[in-house]
Amino acid sequence: MSEKQKKPQKLKARLPRGFVDRDAADIRAVNEMTAKIRAVYEHYGFDPVETPLFEYTDALGKFLPDADRPNEGVFSLQDDDEQWMSLRYDLTAPLARHVAENFNEIQLPYRTYRAGYVFRNEKPGPGRFRQFMQFDADTVGAAGVQADAEMCMMMADTMEALGIARGDYVIRVNNRKVLDGLLEAIGLGGDENAGRKLTVLRAMDKYDKFGREGVTLLLGDGRKDESGDFTKGAGLGQAAIDAIIELLDAPLIDDLIDYSNDITFKTAGLSKFGINATFDEGFRELKVISDLVQAAGYGNNRIRIDPSIVRGLEYYTGPVYEAELLFDVTNEKGEKVVFGSVGGGGRYDGLVSRFMGQPVPATGFSIGVSRLMTALKNLGKLGQNEVVAPVLVTVMDGDIESMGRYQRFTQELRAAGIRAEMYQGNWKKFGNQLKYADRRGAPVAIIQGGDERAEGLVQIKDLIEGKRLSGEIEDNTSWREARVAQVSVPEAELVAKVREILDAQAEDRARAG
């Protein structure tokens, strides 16, 4: 067979791994959720800002170009001037660049929020995507921890604005200075201990999951899980392990500190190490946050000091906080599990300073929109807003005059706030139009043929009631008691009659629950 006779290869439609298409229901759910989040941020006096999807790679912090291609964690390409650019990994690094670049024009403190997609060049898996949405709020230029306290209160208010009841969430707060000071005190300060330090912090971060016993093993020789897999531990001595566990076990900050005569530590384990200035400063800041949120009416059931909160190790320099949902959901295996974290953040005083060569304090948090949307759906708090399919204006005749009239009907309905569309397919097969209306879930069909047009009338077909009648009406009595499924009205009464039918349908849905 000659080359000319070969059929061209049909292109295979395929979605890139780690990415998803979103349907109308998901898009509406996200829009509903982000509108509620935005309303809280606006109420707190924050203003929106938008940064581009791409940044120069060196602006993203730890993800710097290597010799060939900077593809560690980010999606990157070279510009025509051979500079590396990357899709943003989060929304915080781009904000830091924006603030530094516009520092002389920005009013400090700069209070801002933004929502958008971020991209991770990582191996995808169940529930792990390469593109997902975040919704951030930040305060730049406020050094005091009152800004961190406000962020925690705003996180709590956001959870409740989304319909998450008190008792179903908690904002957990810690301070990296506490963790850094403790690690320094037990002999893990300095760059030479970076590996062991990371192992200790990861073990502490597992406290909620593994509890005292599991974390003790991870801080010591190691832990074997139920499958028999062994995780090597940090190899700490018993005194150091006791000090860390004592810190993690304390349910309230007041259980660790005596305030009667300045700050002294009650705990035997911690006192063995002569706790240093870094640790002391961190706990003083936590005490201020605790006092501020409680004075504002946010008790421990909403915002709680929790020394087990670690969060990202790259750039947090002070208070860190995390929004955790406490209710159970069913996972892919059918098991009941606690939902867990849906967002968090903290103080990152060094991030803007990288560009400025001077200290620029900043704090903020990020909500994982997709993860939170899943939680809200589990609670039945999202996607409940009724979206009625459009009224369908059918096409009986294809001449210009008739088409113009059908289009006028459609525009009159839209102008009255009613979703409507004029049929755009092959109008010559009217049965196909009604099939289309059924598949779309259209509540009403508008029909006008030549006879109706001559009399200035229009037929209005209640498709919902018509479907019910065809399935439920079994005798003449039921037929007489049923709502009329099709009526003829003057063109001038079209909008009013459609509105009446839609209202009746809404009442039926409300009664049905």
Side-chain angles (χ1 to χ4, degrees):
M1 184 182 289
S2 69
E3 290 293 321
K4 290 183 178 179
Q5 293 174 313
K6 285 184 178 179
K7 288 185 178 181
Q9 288 284 330
K10 186 169 67 174
L11 185 64
K12 183 179 180 181
R14 61 200 191 279
L15 185 70
R17 287 191 314 122
F19 295 84
V20 294
D21 293 324
R22 297 193 303 152
D23 61 19
D26 271 355
I27 292 168
R28 288 192 177 105
V30 167
N31 290 344
E32 178 189 340
M33 183 174 74
T34 53
K36 292 177 181 177
I37 298 171
R38 186 176 292 107
V40 176
Y41 294 178
E42 288 278 354
H43 197 62
Y44 269 71
F46 285 71
D47 293 316
V49 71
E50 186 172 281
T51 59
L53 296 178
F54 272 97
E55 294 282 341
Y56 284 117
T57 305
D58 59 5
L60 296 180
K62 63 173 183 170
F63 301 104
L64 301 177
D66 58 24
D68 299 314
R69 179 178 173 80
N71 58 2
E72 180 64 33
V74 295
F75 292 99
S76 304
L77 56 84
Q78 264 186 310
D79 200 358
D80 54 7
D81 60 359
E82 298 187 352
Q83 293 192 69
W84 282 104
M85 299 192 305
S86 299
L87 284 171
R88 61 193 181 194
Y89 186 85
D90 62 15
L91 298 178
T92 309
L95 177 71
R97 187 269 311 156
H98 170 78
V99 169
E101 195 169 10
N102 300 280
F103 197 75
N104 292 330
E105 288 76 41
I106 284 175
Q107 175 65 49
L108 296 179
Y110 183 46
R111 298 158 65 81
T112 184
Y113 69 84
R114 61 232 168 272
Y117 284 108
V118 298
F119 302 85
R120 306 282 171 93
N121 188 2
E122 299 169 346
K123 185 177 180 179
R128 187 181 183 88
F129 300 104
R130 288 171 163 171
Q131 174 185 325
F132 53 93
M133 184 180 287
Q134 292 182 334
F135 204 145
D136 286 19
D138 296 81
T139 298
V140 180
V145 294
Q146 66 269 20
D148 303 280
E150 182 185 56
M151 284 291 172
C152 294
M153 291 186 284
M154 191 160 75
M155 287 181 79
D157 287 350
T158 300
M159 295 298 107
E160 295 189 17
L162 291 167
I164 301 170
R166 295 182 193 182
D168 280 343
Y169 77 89
V170 67
I171 311 302
R172 301 187 188 276
V173 190
N174 195 15
N175 197 314
R176 287 304 301 272
K177 294 174 185 176
V178 170
L179 299 176
D180 292 342
L182 175 62
L183 293 175
E184 182 183 333
I186 63 175
L188 293 183
D191 293 340
E192 68 276 12
N193 290 306
R196 288 184 75 196
K197 183 176 176 179
L198 185 60
T199 302
V200 171
L201 289 173
R202 284 176 174 162
M204 294 175 71
D205 199 32
K206 297 289 194 299
Y207 184 75
D208 277 352
K209 186 175 181 181
F210 295 152
R212 168 195 277 261
E213 182 180 347
V215 172
T216 297
L217 293 173
L218 289 173
L219 292 172
D221 295 332
R223 176 182 179 273
K224 183 182 290 188
D225 64 21
E226 295 173 356
S227 69
D229 289 340
F230 183 76
T231 301
K232 186 178 178 182
L236 298 182
Q238 192 59 50
I241 293 173
D242 289 344
I244 292 172
I245 293 298
E246 194 165 12
L247 181 71
L248 296 177
D249 273 348
L252 298 172
I253 188 172
D254 293 338
D255 294 335
L256 288 168
I257 301 176
D258 180 6
Y259 303 103
S260 59
N261 184 21
D262 202 3
I263 292 182
T264 56
F265 294 95
K266 301 175 181 179
T267 54
L270 294 172
S271 61
K272 288 180 183 177
F273 293 96
I275 292 302
N276 49 45
T278 304
F279 187 95
D280 186 50
E281 183 181 354
F283 256 112
R284 288 176 186 273
E285 291 179 354
L286 284 179
K287 174 60 177 171
V288 171
I289 292 173
S290 178
D291 289 348
L292 287 173
V293 298
Q294 296 213 24
Y298 295 75
N300 288 318
N301 62 328
R302 302 173 73 189
I303 300 175
R304 185 181 308 159
I305 304 300
D306 185 340
S308 71
I309 298 301
V310 175
R311 291 206 59 77
L313 305 176
E314 288 80 27
Y315 50 67
Y316 289 126
T317 59
V320 288
Y321 28 87
E322 194 164 273
E324 182 180 348
L325 303 187
L326 305 176
F327 54 85
D328 292 343
V329 296
T330 304
N331 65 14
E332 298 87 352
K333 300 177 182 178
E335 302 165 331
K336 287 284 187 181
V337 294
V338 175
F339 199 92
S341 175
V342 291
R347 180 160 288 275
Y348 53 96
D349 287 350
L351 202 57
V352 182
S353 304
R354 293 188 308 122
F355 301 97
M356 301 292 296
Q358 66 184 63
V360 182
T363 188
F365 72 88
S366 178
I367 290 174
V369 171
S370 299
R371 182 168 173 78
L372 183 53
M373 183 175 73
T374 300
L376 294 173
K377 284 183 174 179
N378 269 277
L379 279 177
K381 299 291 185 181
L382 199 62
Q384 304 301 307
N385 288 354
E386 188 175 66
V387 178
V388 178
V391 170
L392 180 68
V393 177
T394 62
V395 176
M396 299 291 287
D397 298 296
D399 60 278
I400 294 299
E401 181 186 353
S402 300
M403 285 289 200
R405 194 174 290 232
Y406 299 141
Q407 192 65 67
R408 175 167 58 82
F409 296 157
T410 309
Q411 294 304 120
E412 287 174 355
L413 290 166
R414 290 169 177 164
I418 298 170
R419 291 188 77 200
E421 63 173 280
M422 183 177 121
Y423 186 71
Q424 300 294 343
N426 182 1
W427 61 271
K428 294 181 179 180
K429 295 182 178 179
F430 185 71
N432 287 347
Q433 297 190 50
L434 294 183
K435 288 179 182 177
Y436 172 82
D438 184 58
R439 288 194 297 270
R440 285 279 277 154
V444 174
I446 309 301
I447 305 167
Q448 187 188 65
D451 293 341
E452 290 90 2
R453 188 162 58 253
E455 298 180 42
L457 300 174
V458 63
Q459 294 284 338
I460 304 177
K461 188 176 181 65
D462 183 338
L463 298 176
I464 305 300
E465 182 67 5
K467 187 182 294 186
R468 187 183 74 83
L469 291 176
S470 65
E472 297 181 10
I473 301 300
E474 297 178 353
D475 54 52
N476 290 336
T477 302
S478 299
W479 179 266
R480 286 192 297 271
E481 292 174 353
R483 194 166 69 232
V484 177
Q486 184 165 326
V487 294
S488 179
V489 300
E491 290 180 4
E493 298 176 16
L494 167 65
V495 171
K497 189 61 182 178
V498 169
R499 172 69 68 197
E500 179 186 321
I501 292 172
L502 293 176
D503 288 345
Q505 292 175 355
E507 289 178 10
D508 288 346
R509 288 192 297 273
R511 280 196 297 269

